[in-house]
Amino acid sequence: MSEDLLRLYGTSERAPESRTLVAGDLSVELQDGNLRTLRFRGQEVLRAVAFLVRDKDWGTCSAAIADLAVAETGLGFSVTYNARFTAPSGANLDCAIAISGTAKTVTFSAHCVSDADFETARAGFVVLHPVVGVAGEPVEVRHGDGSIERSHWPQEIEPWQPFKDIAAITHQVAPGIAAMTAFGGDIFEMEDQRNWTDGSYKTYVRPLALPWPYRVAKNEPFSQTIAVEIRAEDDAARAADASDAITLQLAPTGLRFPEIGVGLRPECLAQELAALKTLKTIGARHLIGHFDPGAGHGLAALKGYAEIAEKSGLRMTLELAVPCKRPLQEEMAGFAALVQGAGLTLDTLFVCPSVDRQSTPPGSSWPECPPLEEVYVAARAAFPGVRLGGGMMSYFTELNRKRVPADPIDYVSHCTNPIVHAADDLSVMQTFEALRHVVSSTRAIYGDKPYRIGPSTIAMRQNPYGSATKDNAAGGRIPMANLDPRHNGQFGAAWTLAYAATVVPAGLEVLTLSTLTGPYGLVAGEGEATLQGDLRPLAHVLARLGILAGEAVHAVETSRPDALLGLASKERLLLANITAKPQVAALSQPPRRVSLIGAESVDLPASERIVVPPYGCVEIVL
């Protein structure tokens, strides 16, 4: 079993267990003391209700749970436990938690006190409303003064909070089913979590305009509550059966598949030079070299990139974090001299002021930074004839909040990361629900401007929301981690293919979903299910995408996008199962060939019903 876990997830650590609690037509999943996937008659009402504590860098403080008691009667259920959250300083926040449910209600309360001053960016409830079937729909918000705001859930991703001072939210779940969620004990507001590719709208405690991190004072108790009430007509329909075969619809788009890029890191130059043949194996066309003078990168890094570019014959993009510490013309001229001295020929230059990599949340002061127009003018002058890219070296969130001027640049680019807020398997795979909104929102802002994404990986290569990413030597599933073992397993391959399937319809010119080596790379290290030095599973997916580069894109719609995602050319269909269960895909006619994507192409029966294994990726020749 541990070998299966290692192959699928890159780690032998088991995912947290969950327990389904049922009361009449209402059900919830209890996991790690919090509630996931609240449903009524199978329809998703809320994605999660959780009591969370973040440290000063927005990292998650795990709860040590004691005295857990769960009771079910058929008519209702109850859960009680004590949770201790420990800050990096050693202070403990102790909370008495109570959850109860009936056929149409759920309540969740927390009564907390700290044994020392507790430094935190947030301590309290968050409630996640789903995006699918909700985005753009009507919503009613009751504010703290009792006034009612009738509005709509944001369709395009809202950079700032769509609703503030929230006492209750009422929304339509499905025809004949509505839900009211009430919030007590503090001031709540909402953010559009699609900014970070979370598949949810998040209502959270404590407005971001208030100072953070802040201190929970020693021995000063506080309490919060969440109450959910379902209002349903007797004939309201149940959700469709999820066990049916998944149907597919393919349609031409007039777009072309993007070319594949691969990231380079100065700290990995020796390994990258030893792995150059991998670039040809996956059909990469572009190299994206990360260069941050603030991190000590200098001439040696550029010389290494020049050698890799020359030996591979690939086009080089320099991803430059501009310090903006000296006059821009002088600073850019200095970088141009370094590039020339290294013998590095650039295809494109992507520039981003170093300070813009850090998030500027609502209510915060923007850091000092020259106008982006001036940054781009200086870059043009120092690198004449080189295509210039702008956007954010970090994530769509920062691009949405600080929208770069489009006219002075040749293309716009950003990255995404799926473990900013949650890192469990389900949450990571649910990010594709939001990712499609990310690319559509970027297109709404920048029109038909050439568009690139990446390097985007499961692990977080930088933390815009704190002082550092989280070390993860134990290889767990933790948010904001600089290493994620699932990158190394079949999970990582499915995530990579599903990512491509989600963004390709946006008409990208370059897509980068890995580095060449290292923890974000294509080549396996010691102790993985794949032999050291061989290609990780996601590399075989990228090789298929490399073959498709430049071909006409056919959009693929599946009847269960929460389970199966795909992309296609005229003669080739690639499918990714983003669940831990086998999924059956139903084709309109038998294909010519079906094979699992991996180190060895294993043929499957070429029938109209194709069983895709857990986190499996298949290639179908039509």
Side-chain angles (χ1 to χ4, degrees), residues 81-95:
Y81 63 90
N82 295 315
R84 166 164 284 191
F85 301 89
T86 302
S89 65
N92 297 306
L93 182 67
D94 291 308
C95 301

Side-chain angles (χ1 to χ4, degrees), residues 347-351 376 379-380 383-391 404-413 443 446 448-452 509:
D347 178 60
T348 79
L349 174 71
F350 176 76
V351 294
Y376 299 149
R380 289 280 193 200
F383 294 88
V386 176
R387 290 186 73 213
L388 181 66
V404 305
D407 290 342
I409 57 178
D410 296 307
Y411 66 87
V412 65
S413 182
R443 278 295 181 214
Y446 293 101
D448 60 359
K449 175 69 68 176
Y451 181 15
R452 299 183 174 194
E509 66 173 26

Side-chain angles (χ1 to χ4, degrees), residues 543-557:
R544 299 309 196 282
L545 297 176
I547 291 171
L548 291 175
E551 292 193 22
V553 174
H554 283 61
V556 178
E557 292 187 9

Side-chain angles (χ1 to χ4, degrees), residues 156-159 366 372-373 376 392 396 398-406 441 444-446:
E156 293 177 6
I157 300 177
E158 179 63 42
W366 290 91
L372 290 173
E373 290 86 351
Y376 299 149
M392 290 293 161
F396 171 79
E398 287 64 59
L399 180 63
N400 200 22
R401 288 177 172 173
K402 186 176 182 179
R403 299 181 180 184
V404 305
S441 293
I445 299 168
Y446 293 101

Side-chain angles (χ1 to χ4, degrees), residues 72-121:
E72 290 185 88
T73 66
L75 298 176
F77 56 81
S78 65
V79 180
T80 58
Y81 63 90
N82 295 315
R84 166 164 284 191
F85 301 89
T86 302
S89 65
N92 297 306
L93 182 67
D94 291 308
C95 301
I97 304 294
I99 303 170
S100 63
T102 70
K104 290 188 177 181
T105 65
V106 175
T107 59
F108 198 154
S109 65
H111 304 280
C112 305
V113 65
S114 178
D115 63 3
D117 287 350
F118 191 102
E119 191 173 32
T120 178

Side-chain angles (χ1 to χ4, degrees), residues 12-13 40 90 124 155 180 219 261 288 318 383 413 476 487 516 576 592:
S12 297
E13 178 189 73
F40 185 81
Q155 180 66 263
M180 183 184 73
N219 294 332
I288 292 84
L318 188 67
F383 294 88
S413 182
H487 177 92
L516 179 52
R592 289 189 287 157

